[in-house]
Amino acid sequence: MKMIIRWYGKDDPVTLEYIRQIPGMTGVATAVYDVAPGNVWPMESILDLKTEIEKHGLTMEVIESVPVHEDIKLGCGKCEEYIENYKENIRRLASAGVKCICYNFMPVFDWTRSRLHQPLADGSEALVYYKEDVEKMDPRKMSLPGWDASYSPDEINGLINAYQKLGEEGLWKNLAWFVSEIMPVAKECDVYMGIHPDDPPWPLFGIPRIVTNEKNIDRLLDFYDDPHHGLTLCSGSLGCARENDIPKLVRKYGAKHRICFAHVRNVKILEDGSFEESSHLSKDGSLDIYEIMKAYHDTGFHGYIRPDHGRMIWGEQGRPGYGLFDRALGAAYLNGIWEALEKEKTDGTLE
Ligand code: DNO
């Protein structure tokens, strides 16, 4: 496996200088952030990013994410043009040495939480999803850090209505179309496309979400039977639904070479199905991180892995979920488990 971390570009307070000091860090997952969804990324911006990253001894082999325009997910408007642009982005990124692209098919809203700074018992702050609060939220009147902020409340309202009309099967149809269009290009460019599950993995605000569980993942992987059509298997996103047994899913899709990118983090599921993001340590949350890492190890995982959201600790201020300290602790912990697994497999020496 190759340990990487998400980096939000030159404006990220977590600098490449800091990132390279995290033990075992080989590269970053990043994106061109100043181009609106649907458009082609200028080659110059892609190459600038790469040069900057490589100057710090890190790689840019993973892009997270190339966003899928809402018109594609809805199958309307300029979807044909945007899909051609998407293919062009795959070609351009491949020519810059990118090997894996993460994307998602969540209608309108990316990851959703009800509080971004919830104090935990140890004094750290975490992202949490309290069902009771979410029920009272009006997505037209708010914005979260992972969401596309370019829509006005009226536009959001229009999108919500359009998805309600489209329904789950309509969304499936558009995902199937998207996959059948982009995958031949990705395969030809030898780029692994990793779809990220919906976070949280259930419908929100009356609009459908479909990348949510084993049955649905089976269905979507069947759209194009090739390892280039793979998963960004996010333990924290799928893992906040009790029905999803993460080590089992890693074993199943890992054995079929359908996981190209692993997001590993822990969540603590509460009695009513709400959840709090916890530290990566198994005993702090509901997921067994050792078993998850063992499943990757046993299935010979050679893809990219990153620690995911961290809490805010030690007084750090920054982008919720994406500070330096707790994610660095997460990376060190995952590396520690991996080293132990490697040594157990052999006579005690590392490969
Ligand atoms: C949450 C992330 C997601 C992810 C996108 C992938 O922090 O894992 O925002 O990057 O959904 O497209």
Side-chain angles (χ1 to χ4, degrees), residues 218-232:
D218 284 346
R219 178 171 174 186
L220 88 89
L221 290 181
D222 276 351
F223 290 155
Y224 193 86
D225 192 13
D226 186 284
H228 291 87
H229 174 39
L231 301 170
T232 294

Side-chain angles (χ1 to χ4, degrees), residues 106-114 129-131 134-135 137 139 142 144 147 160 163-164 198-210 212 275:
M106 285 180 251
V108 211
F109 312 109
D110 198 303
W111 58 270
T112 300
R113 301 289 181 271
S114 58
Y129 180 105
Y130 295 149
K131 285 201 159 163
V134 175
E135 274 152 28
M137 276 163 49
M142 54 173 284
L144 288 173
W147 295 4
I160 293 178
Y163 280 108
Q164 285 174 344
D198 301 347
D199 180 1
W202 50 74
L204 274 181
F205 312 123
I207 54 183
R209 286 189 160 211
I210 54 179
T212 51
F275 61 89

Side-chain angles (χ1 to χ4, degrees), residues 113-127:
R113 301 289 181 271
S114 58
R115 295 182 197 178
L116 303 178
H117 303 281
Q118 175 67 21
L120 301 183
D122 62 6
S124 60
E125 288 181 357
L127 306 173

Side-chain angles (χ1 to χ4, degrees), residues 6 64-65 102-104 106 110-111 196 263 309 322:
R6 193 168 193 180
E64 177 174 357
S65 304
C102 168
Y103 67 101
N104 72 74
M106 285 180 251
D110 198 303
W111 58 270
H196 187 286
H263 285 183
H309 300 174
Y322 286 96

